[in-house]
Amino acid sequence: MKRSIAAPLAVSLLATTSAFAQDKEITVASWGGSYQEAQSKALFEPASEAMGITVKQETYGGMADVRLQVSTGQVTYDLVASGSGSAARAGAEGLLEPLDYDVIDVSNFYESLYSEYCVGGDVFSVVAAWNTDTYGEDGPQSWADFFDTEKFPGTRAYRNTVSGALEPALMADGVAPEDVYEVLSSEEGIERALDKIRELRPNIAVYWSSGAQHAQLMKDGEVDMTTGWNGRFDNAAKDGGKVSYTFNQALLDYDCFAIPKGAPNKDLAMEFLAEISKPEYQDDLPKYITYGPTNKAAYETGEISDEVAASLPSSPENAAKQLPISLEWYAEWEQVAAEMYQEMLTE
């Protein structure tokens, strides 16, 4: 009698477990455009298939959206793509779940490309890009060139938020890259950078708000040069855009993945994050966008050729030309700098 009851019960539990596995779903939010398309093809879709789970993708506006969800107790995102500085601040603000590095293997990650609340997904650069119809291949080779409207007459686009906006201005004003964050660590230094941007303002036609926007500006030839993210420009060039850029004096930064506080499927999101951090996924990312992997082992799988590696921001030759973003500065000063920047934009 006991066996006859136990057998159907076992079958029932097995069926329930199987159904539960099939119903597993997480919601991932990123920034859209060619960037999210690359993430989807290299990371999200293959990892979803390997794990046998459903990954629902959304496009979002950054940590402000996470803040709104957490503050209202209506969290729908399980995993979000974020800039490294934004994640550092959001973590300090209590908006993110601490990551479990017993689950996520970062033993082969580049140093400083993961933190308590965010693990690196790719390495990118903020570069000076130009329209090759306007300047040929000899566009601006430094931030001083970018700000020099006599040597390089024409329209500019510049970022509408402070992230990656002040450092180029200071280098254009003659500050050595290694001294940039020391100078920016005072309101006077921030004001110096803002004054340099004010000088350029008559030539700034657009303040861009997203990677998709600044790539489109260059594809359409709406501006002669802009700041922006290298991979977006490479994709714009592949699509026929007349655009080139330089890694010289670029800002070396990384995007990362974070789990919002109170994510409805936190544990599954952690497992998914562990999966997409593996080299066999990260080595595919440069096929779709020229951002470097954060997992060093991705360079050893044979998927990334020497030629492709030479075009990636994290290659030793390119990295040596750049200024690494200071998360410490952003954690301490960004709020003050952002308020000053917005005041400047509305003057």
Side-chain angles (χ1 to χ4, degrees), residues 144-287:
D145 283 349
F146 185 93
F147 278 74
D148 190 337
T149 56
E150 291 187 10
K151 184 178 178 182
F152 294 97
T155 55
R156 270 71 164 165
Y158 212 75
R159 190 150 195 197
N160 75 338
T161 63
V162 77
S163 180
L166 301 181
E167 298 94 332
L170 277 189
M171 284 186 271
D173 204 38
V175 177
E178 61 270 22
D179 297 329
V180 163
Y181 287 110
E182 182 180 348
V183 174
L184 282 178
S185 295
S186 69
E187 290 193 17
E188 292 77 15
I190 295 169
E191 195 63 36
R192 177 178 173 181
L194 295 177
D195 283 341
K196 191 66 177 177
I197 298 170
R198 287 185 180 101
E199 291 178 17
L200 189 64
R201 181 184 283 165
N203 294 82
I204 300 176
V206 181
Y207 289 94
W208 59 265
S209 60
S210 70
Q213 183 186 11
H214 70 56
Q216 196 66 43
L217 287 170
M218 296 307 286
K219 271 183 68 174
D220 295 343
E222 287 190 35
V223 294
D224 296 304
M225 62 177 77
T226 183
T227 61
W229 302 316
N230 70 289
R232 298 282 193 158
F233 296 131
D234 284 327
N235 280 2
K238 286 177 187 174
D239 290 340
K242 305 298 184 182
V243 57
S244 188
Y245 63 84
T246 178
F247 280 117
N248 188 46
Q249 293 189 336
L251 308 180
L252 190 65
D253 200 354
Y254 71 97
D255 291 313
C256 58
F257 292 107
I259 298 175
K261 192 78 172 178
N265 302 290
K266 182 184 81 169
D267 292 342
L268 185 58
M270 202 80 70
E271 293 174 27
F272 185 74
L273 196 42
E275 187 71 13
I276 62 176
S277 296
K278 294 177 180 177
E280 58 263 36
Y281 297 96
Q282 288 215 351
D283 63 8
D284 281 338
L285 195 63
K287 295 176 182 177

Side-chain angles (χ1 to χ4, degrees), residues 10-323:
V11 171
S12 175
L13 285 172
L14 186 61
T16 303
T17 303
S18 176
F20 178 71
Q22 292 173 358
D23 289 342
K24 284 186 174 181
E25 178 180 292
I26 62 169
T27 298
V28 178
S30 188
W31 297 307
S34 58
Y35 178 70
Q36 188 163 347
E37 184 179 348
Q39 289 179 312
S40 183
K41 290 178 178 177
L43 308 175
F44 302 156
E45 292 173 19
S48 167
E49 185 176 348
M51 294 177 67
I53 67 172
T54 300
V55 176
K56 181 183 175 186
Q57 293 189 50
E58 294 188 11
T59 300
Y60 86 136
M63 283 298 171
D65 291 356
V66 172
R67 183 177 294 106
L68 180 62
Q69 289 196 1
V70 173
S71 65
T72 58
Q74 298 177 332
V75 181
T76 60
Y77 302 145
D78 296 302
L79 193 67
V80 297
S82 174
S84 56
S86 297
R89 292 188 310 281
E93 198 178 323
L95 301 178
L96 304 176
E97 297 281 358
L99 298 183
D100 186 349
Y101 288 112
D102 288 333
V103 175
I104 305 164
D105 181 7
V106 290
S107 58
N108 284 315
F109 271 53
Y110 286 96
E111 286 184 30
S112 304
L113 295 188
Y114 59 92
S115 66
E116 182 179 1
Y117 298 101
C118 210
V119 62
D122 61 79
V123 182
F124 69 96
S125 298
V126 178
V127 300
W130 67 88
N131 186 318
T132 54
D133 275 348
T134 307
Y135 307 111
E137 292 302 322
D138 298 321
Q141 296 302 306
S142 67
W143 291 115
D145 283 349
F146 185 93
F147 278 74
D148 190 337
T149 56
E150 291 187 10
K151 184 178 178 182
F152 294 97
T155 55
R156 270 71 164 165
Y158 212 75
R159 190 150 195 197
N160 75 338
T161 63
V162 77
S163 180
L166 301 181
E167 298 94 332
L170 277 189
M171 284 186 271
D173 204 38
V175 177
E178 61 270 22
D179 297 329
V180 163
Y181 287 110
E182 182 180 348
V183 174
L184 282 178
S185 295
S186 69
E187 290 193 17
E188 292 77 15
I190 295 169
E191 195 63 36
R192 177 178 173 181
L194 295 177
D195 283 341
K196 191 66 177 177
I197 298 170
R198 287 185 180 101
E199 291 178 17
L200 189 64
R201 181 184 283 165
N203 294 82
I204 300 176
V206 181
Y207 289 94
W208 59 265
S209 60
S210 70
Q213 183 186 11
H214 70 56
Q216 196 66 43
L217 287 170
M218 296 307 286
K219 271 183 68 174
D220 295 343
E222 287 190 35
V223 294
D224 296 304
M225 62 177 77
T226 183
T227 61
W229 302 316
N230 70 289
R232 298 282 193 158
F233 296 131
D234 284 327
N235 280 2
K238 286 177 187 174
D239 290 340
K242 305 298 184 182
V243 57
S244 188
Y245 63 84
T246 178
F247 280 117
N248 188 46
Q249 293 189 336
L251 308 180
L252 190 65
D253 200 354
Y254 71 97
D255 291 313
C256 58
F257 292 107
I259 298 175
K261 192 78 172 178
N265 302 290
K266 182 184 81 169
D267 292 342
L268 185 58
M270 202 80 70
E271 293 174 27
F272 185 74
L273 196 42
E275 187 71 13
I276 62 176
S277 296
K278 294 177 180 177
E280 58 263 36
Y281 297 96
Q282 288 215 351
D283 63 8
D284 281 338
L285 195 63
K287 295 176 182 177
Y288 306 107
I289 195 163
T290 45
Y291 293 155
T294 48
N295 190 325
K296 289 184 286 188
Y299 283 106
E300 300 165 7
T301 64
E303 287 293 314
I304 301 175
S305 67
D306 291 342
E307 182 182 1
V308 170
S311 71
L312 299 178
S314 54
S315 72
E317 181 182 352
N318 291 332
K321 302 174 184 176
Q322 301 179 65
L323 171 64

